Amino acid sequence: MGLPVKLAHLPARMAAGGFLLNSGLSKRGADEQAAASLHGMAAGAYPFLKRVDPQRFVGLLSKAEIALGVALLNPVVPTAVAGLGLAGFSTGLVGMYLRTPGVHKPGSPLPTEQGVPLAKDFWLLGMALGFLIEAVAERRRNR
C-alpha cells in the first residue's frame, strides 16, 4: 500500500506547506503592534473578528497556519484532505484581499503595488482547487 499522495502533487504541496508553516511559525509570539496590525486587517474584512482579542487572533492564526502547513508537508495526509483545508483557509484569505481597499485595483482583482504580497492567496486557492478537482475526478473514475 502506497502513500495517499501522487508524486505530481508533491511540488505544490511542498511549496504551499512550506510557505504556510513558515508564516505560522513567524507569527508565534507576535508583539502587540504586529498582532494589532494583522487583527485590524482581518477585522476590517470580517467585522465579527473585532470581538476577538488581537493577541488571541494571531495565536489562533499561527496555529492554523502551522497545522495546515504540516498537513500539506506530511505525505500521510491525503491530498484531498490537505486540499480541503487549504481551500477553506485560502478562501478566507482571498475574501480578505477582495474586501480590503487599496490592495487591488477598483472593480478588479488585479493587485496594486501594496497588494502584490497578498495576491499569493489566489495561487494557494488555485492549488487547493486543483487538488480537489482531481480528487473528485479520481473518485468518479474509480466507481
Side-chain angles (χ1 to χ4, degrees):
M1 183 173 150
L3 293 174
V5 175
K6 291 183 178 181
L7 188 59
H9 294 164
L10 290 178
R13 284 184 64 153
M14 291 178 71
F19 182 86
L20 287 166
L21 179 59
N22 180 64
S23 182
L25 290 172
S26 72
K27 288 179 180 73
R28 289 186 316 167
D31 63 28
E32 285 186 40
Q33 183 179 357
S37 177
L38 286 167
H39 179 261
M41 191 163 157
Y46 298 109
F48 71 90
L49 291 174
K50 290 178 184 173
R51 296 187 304 253
V52 179
D53 174 73
Q55 287 292 139
R56 178 164 169 71
F57 170 77
V58 172
L60 292 170
L61 178 61
S62 170
K63 288 177 176 86
E65 287 179 327
I66 291 169
L68 185 53
V70 167
L72 285 158
L73 292 169
N74 187 342
V76 175
V77 177
T79 296
V81 172
L84 190 59
L86 183 58
F89 189 77
S90 59
T91 297
L93 293 173
V94 166
M96 187 173 73
Y97 171 85
L98 293 173
R99 292 178 174 145
T100 302
V103 297
H104 58 88
K105 296 174 183 174
S108 168
L110 297 174
T112 61
E113 191 172 318
Q114 296 81 13
V116 169
L118 301 174
K120 55 91 177 80
D121 303 332
F122 283 94
W123 60 256
L124 290 174
L125 181 57
M127 285 180 188
L129 293 176
F131 292 153
L132 295 175
I133 289 167
E134 185 173 348
V136 168
E138 181 86 16
R139 191 167 203 163
R140 286 186 178 181
R141 277 193 301 271
N142 292 335
R143 282 188 182 178

